[in-house]
Amino acid sequence: MHWCLEWKRFEFLFGNYIQCENEHIACHSCCSSSSSKCKSCAPSASFKRCQILEKIIQSLGGSCKYLKYGPCSCPIEGCNYYGPLMQLSMHLSGQHRDSITCFRYNKLYSITLRYDERFCVLQEMSDGDIFLVDNVEHDIGNMVSVSRIGPYTFISPFSIELKIEAVKWVHWDQLSLRLSCKIESIRSRVGYQPSTRDFLLVPSGYFEGGEEFELLFRISRADV
């Protein structure tokens, strides 16, 4: 890392990697501890996720048997909790119970999102797995995608089905939007850029009838 403070720590090897606009690289822990300011160049440099470096490091060897104990950040806005994934799961259900939506694998659920609601946190009731529903505004509509909070897995066992159905929408009798894809894992929302490959696009015209939309989802796990 160009100015990484976590070189010898476990999370350096398995966390997300961030780079500033001048391509100086840091792990997400350093980015957080430095108030998202690059120590090598402009103090107010903007950051983005360095997925190329992540893939290179992920390809260097097999999975560590202790990977599941690696640290992750709490996804709730304003919470600075950072710790092992197993403890994060208990922290989330204990400290942020009113801020999460609980679900079970392989069952269909419904959540309501405001068009300007940045994200929603889901937690599986059996094993405590944590998922993040990102809702990003664009000129042509909202991009909705899903990721899992946790260590990277080379072949993801998690998949998502998203669906939106609306009757008498604008000029059409019925609107139906669907997405099925694998879910990637991330360790922190800091510097994370929602997927631009696997997402459900909700057209901007959808919100002419209100400021919310209902999202149906089903998350599956291969070994459940």
Side-chain angles (χ1 to χ4, degrees):
M1 297 296 97
H2 194 88
W3 49 270
C4 184
L5 305 177
E6 309 290 343
W7 184 273
K8 296 182 180 180
R9 293 182 59 178
F10 183 86
E11 56 262 42
F12 164 77
L13 294 175
F14 302 107
N16 296 333
Y17 299 92
I18 315 299
Q19 66 178 4
C20 76
E21 55 192 11
N22 293 320
E23 299 185 349
H24 297 130
I25 298 173
C27 68
H28 72 85
S29 296
C30 286
C31 186
S32 300
S33 62
S34 303
S35 301
S36 298
K37 295 181 180 179
C38 180
K39 291 185 177 181
S40 299
C41 57
S44 59
S46 60
F47 286 83
K48 64 180 180 179
R49 187 174 171 189
C50 185
Q51 296 184 344
I52 294 178
L53 179 59
E54 289 180 12
K55 292 185 180 299
I56 291 174
I57 291 180
Q58 290 160 4
S59 68
L60 293 181
S63 298
C64 172
K65 65 180 180 179
Y66 299 110
L67 190 59
K68 63 181 179 180
Y69 302 107
C72 298
S73 297
C74 179
I76 300 299
E77 197 75 41
C79 181
N80 296 319
Y81 181 86
Y82 183 69
L85 180 60
M86 296 175 67
Q87 276 68 38
L88 173 60
S89 179
M90 292 186 289
H91 163 81
L92 196 66
S93 58
Q95 301 298 319
H96 304 294
R97 184 178 300 274
D98 295 336
S99 301
I100 62 177
T101 297
C102 296
F103 74 97
R104 291 191 184 278
Y105 287 126
N106 304 317
K107 293 188 177 182
L108 188 65
Y109 290 85
S110 171
I111 55 175
T112 300
L113 293 175
R114 298 189 310 276
Y115 77 93
D116 59 350
E117 189 172 356
R118 180 63 182 80
F119 68 94
C120 173
V121 180
L122 311 175
Q123 186 171 35
E124 210 279 330
M125 287 185 277
S126 298
D127 59 15
D129 277 336
I130 305 164
F131 296 85
L132 196 65
V133 180
D134 276 291
N135 177 34
V136 182
E137 292 183 75
H138 287 274
D139 292 339
I140 59 174
N142 284 39
M143 291 172 54
V144 180
S145 59
V146 178
S147 56
R148 171 182 172 263
I149 301 294
Y152 171 82
T153 53
F154 187 72
I155 300 178
S156 175
F158 305 97
S159 59
I160 181 74
E161 297 175 45
L162 295 177
K163 182 168 65 173
I164 292 179
E165 292 186 347
V167 180
K168 298 296 182 182
W169 177 74
V170 192
H171 304 297
W172 291 268
D173 290 335
Q174 184 173 6
L175 170 71
S176 181
L177 305 172
R178 298 170 184 266
L179 170 70
S180 295
C181 65
K182 292 289 187 179
I183 300 176
E184 72 166 347
S185 295
I186 62 173
R187 287 191 174 273
S188 173
R189 288 187 59 242
V190 176
Y192 170 65
Q193 300 294 325
S195 175
T196 55
R197 181 186 62 185
D198 297 320
F199 63 89
L200 185 69
L201 179 64
V202 186
S204 56
Y206 181 90
F207 301 108
E208 292 181 6
E211 297 182 347
E212 298 180 338
F213 62 95
E214 182 182 21
L215 180 68
L216 301 176
F217 73 92
R218 188 199 324 268
I219 295 179
S220 302
R221 181 172 173 170
D223 54 353
V224 173

